[in-house]
Amino acid sequence: MEEQVEMVGKAFVDHYYHLFDNNRAALVSLYQPTSTLTFEGQQILGVDKISNKLNNLPFDQCRHVISTIDSQPSSSTGGILVFVSGCLQLQGEEHHLRFSQMFHLIPALQGSFFVQNDIFRLNYG
Protein backbone atom coordinates (compact mmCIF):
# COMPACT_ATOMS: atom_id res chain seq x y z
CA MET A 1 0.00 0.00 0.00
CA GLU A 2 2.72 2.48 0.99
CA GLU A 3 4.68 1.73 -2.19
CA GLN A 4 1.57 2.25 -4.34
CA VAL A 5 0.80 5.57 -2.61
CA GLU A 6 4.34 6.79 -3.30
CA MET A 7 4.12 5.60 -6.91
CA VAL A 8 0.82 7.46 -7.46
CA GLY A 9 2.22 10.57 -5.76
CA LYS A 10 5.32 10.62 -7.94
CA ALA A 11 3.34 9.95 -11.14
CA PHE A 12 0.92 12.75 -10.27
CA VAL A 13 3.74 15.22 -9.52
CA ASP A 14 5.52 14.37 -12.78
CA HIS A 15 2.27 14.84 -14.72
CA TYR A 16 1.21 18.05 -12.93
CA TYR A 17 4.49 19.91 -13.37
CA HIS A 18 4.93 18.67 -16.95
CA LEU A 19 1.54 20.20 -17.77
CA PHE A 20 2.30 23.37 -15.78
CA ASP A 21 5.60 23.91 -17.61
CA ASN A 22 4.41 22.91 -21.10
CA ASN A 23 0.62 23.30 -21.39
CA ARG A 24 -0.69 25.18 -18.36
CA ALA A 25 -4.24 25.42 -19.75
CA ALA A 26 -4.50 21.60 -19.55
CA LEU A 27 -4.23 21.73 -15.73
CA VAL A 28 -7.98 22.43 -15.68
CA SER A 29 -8.58 18.68 -16.19
CA LEU A 30 -7.02 17.90 -12.78
CA TYR A 31 -9.53 19.94 -10.75
CA GLN A 32 -13.25 19.62 -9.98
CA PRO A 33 -15.97 22.18 -9.07
CA THR A 34 -15.35 21.42 -5.36
CA SER A 35 -11.56 21.93 -5.60
CA THR A 36 -9.82 24.63 -3.55
CA LEU A 37 -6.47 26.28 -4.31
CA THR A 38 -4.68 28.42 -1.74
CA PHE A 39 -2.03 30.35 -3.69
CA GLU A 40 0.28 32.48 -1.55
CA GLY A 41 -2.53 32.88 1.02
CA GLN A 42 -5.29 33.66 -1.51
CA GLN A 43 -8.06 31.04 -1.42
CA ILE A 44 -9.68 30.20 -4.77
CA LEU A 45 -12.67 27.85 -5.03
CA GLY A 46 -13.81 25.96 -8.11
CA VAL A 47 -12.26 24.68 -11.30
CA ASP A 48 -12.98 27.80 -13.40
CA LYS A 49 -11.47 30.26 -10.92
CA ILE A 50 -8.47 27.98 -10.28
CA SER A 51 -7.86 27.65 -14.03
CA ASN A 52 -8.15 31.43 -14.42
CA LYS A 53 -5.61 32.02 -11.63
CA LEU A 54 -3.06 29.52 -12.98
CA ASN A 55 -3.40 30.70 -16.58
CA ASN A 56 -3.03 34.37 -15.65
CA LEU A 57 0.12 34.23 -13.53
CA PRO A 58 2.55 37.07 -14.35
CA PHE A 59 4.92 34.78 -16.30
CA ASP A 60 4.53 32.60 -19.36
CA GLN A 61 7.49 30.25 -19.33
CA CYS A 62 8.83 28.42 -16.29
CA ARG A 63 10.46 25.15 -15.28
CA HIS A 64 9.92 23.27 -12.02
CA VAL A 65 12.81 21.31 -10.52
CA ILE A 66 11.49 18.93 -7.86
CA SER A 67 13.66 18.19 -4.80
CA THR A 68 11.36 16.03 -2.67
CA ILE A 69 7.99 14.28 -2.89
CA ASP A 70 6.33 12.92 0.25
CA SER A 71 3.08 10.98 -0.09
CA GLN A 72 0.78 9.35 2.43
CA PRO A 73 -2.72 7.88 2.45
CA SER A 74 -5.26 10.44 3.70
CA SER A 75 -8.43 8.43 4.34
CA SER A 76 -10.18 5.11 4.01
CA THR A 77 -11.63 6.30 0.68
CA GLY A 78 -8.24 6.10 -1.03
CA GLY A 79 -7.22 9.75 -0.91
CA ILE A 80 -3.54 10.68 -1.00
CA LEU A 81 -1.69 13.68 0.44
CA VAL A 82 1.31 14.75 -1.62
CA PHE A 83 3.84 17.32 -0.35
CA VAL A 84 6.35 18.71 -2.85
CA SER A 85 9.38 20.95 -2.45
CA GLY A 86 11.56 22.30 -5.19
CA CYS A 87 12.65 25.29 -7.23
CA LEU A 88 10.90 27.31 -9.89
CA GLN A 89 13.02 28.76 -12.71
CA LEU A 90 11.37 31.66 -14.51
CA GLN A 91 12.49 32.45 -18.06
CA GLY A 92 15.02 35.28 -18.07
CA GLU A 93 15.55 35.16 -14.29
CA GLU A 94 18.94 34.26 -12.87
CA HIS A 95 17.77 33.04 -9.47
CA HIS A 96 15.52 30.07 -8.74
CA LEU A 97 12.50 30.55 -6.47
CA ARG A 98 12.10 27.87 -3.79
CA PHE A 99 8.55 26.61 -3.29
CA SER A 100 6.44 24.09 -1.41
CA GLN A 101 3.14 22.68 -2.62
CA MET A 102 0.65 20.27 -1.08
CA PHE A 103 -1.99 18.32 -3.01
CA HIS A 104 -4.89 16.31 -1.59
CA LEU A 105 -5.80 13.80 -4.28
CA ILE A 106 -9.21 12.12 -4.29
CA PRO A 107 -10.01 9.00 -6.34
CA ALA A 108 -12.08 9.62 -9.45
CA LEU A 109 -13.41 7.27 -12.11
CA GLN A 110 -11.23 4.68 -13.87
CA GLY A 111 -8.51 4.70 -11.20
CA SER A 112 -7.56 8.33 -11.74
CA PHE A 113 -7.42 11.13 -9.17
CA PHE A 114 -8.44 14.77 -9.01
CA VAL A 115 -7.04 17.59 -6.88
CA GLN A 116 -9.44 18.41 -4.04
CA ASN A 117 -7.02 20.73 -2.23
CA ASP A 118 -3.89 22.49 -3.51
CA ILE A 119 -1.73 24.79 -1.35
CA PHE A 120 1.20 26.66 -2.92
CA ARG A 121 3.78 28.86 -1.19
CA LEU A 122 7.08 30.40 -2.23
CA ASN A 123 9.75 29.81 0.43
CA TYR A 124 11.72 32.93 1.28
CA GLY A 125 14.81 33.21 3.43
Side-chain angles (χ1 to χ4, degrees):
M1 175 67 171
E2 186 178 315
E3 216 173 84
Q4 184 179 3
V5 166
E6 292 202 15
M7 237 173 48
V8 170
K10 181 178 180 345
F12 171 79
V13 166
D14 290 347
H15 181 64
Y16 180 90
Y17 293 111
H18 176 78
L19 287 180
F20 196 106
D21 295 351
N22 296 287
N23 183 13
R24 202 177 313 167
L27 289 172
V28 67
S29 67
L30 302 178
Y31 296 90
Q32 296 286 318
T34 60
S35 299
T36 302
L37 165 66
T38 301
F39 189 90
E40 289 289 299
Q42 177 191 11
Q43 197 168 93
I44 302 154
L45 178 63
V47 66
D48 294 334
K49 289 180 180 174
I50 291 170
S51 177
N52 189 47
K53 175 66 177 179
L54 296 176
N55 287 310
N56 289 296
L57 292 171
F59 55 87
D60 291 326
Q61 294 286 309
C62 68
R63 187 173 67 89
H64 289 82
V65 179
I66 305 307
S67 302
T68 63
I69 303 169
D70 297 301
S71 302
Q72 57 182 241
S74 68
S75 69
S76 60
T77 59
I80 299 174
L81 287 174
V82 182
F83 182 75
V84 181
S85 65
C87 293
L88 180 60
Q89 176 69 54
L90 300 180
Q91 188 176 31
E93 293 290 325
E94 183 181 336
H95 299 287
H96 290 82
L97 301 170
R98 291 196 313 245
F99 76 94
S100 297
Q101 192 161 10
M102 188 282 304
F103 300 98
H104 185 199
L105 306 179
I106 301 295
L109 302 175
Q110 295 91 31
S112 64
F113 289 84
F114 74 91
V115 178
Q116 177 63 52
N117 303 90
D118 179 352
I119 301 173
F120 175 89
R121 278 280 183 183
L122 290 172
N123 303 132
Y124 299 102

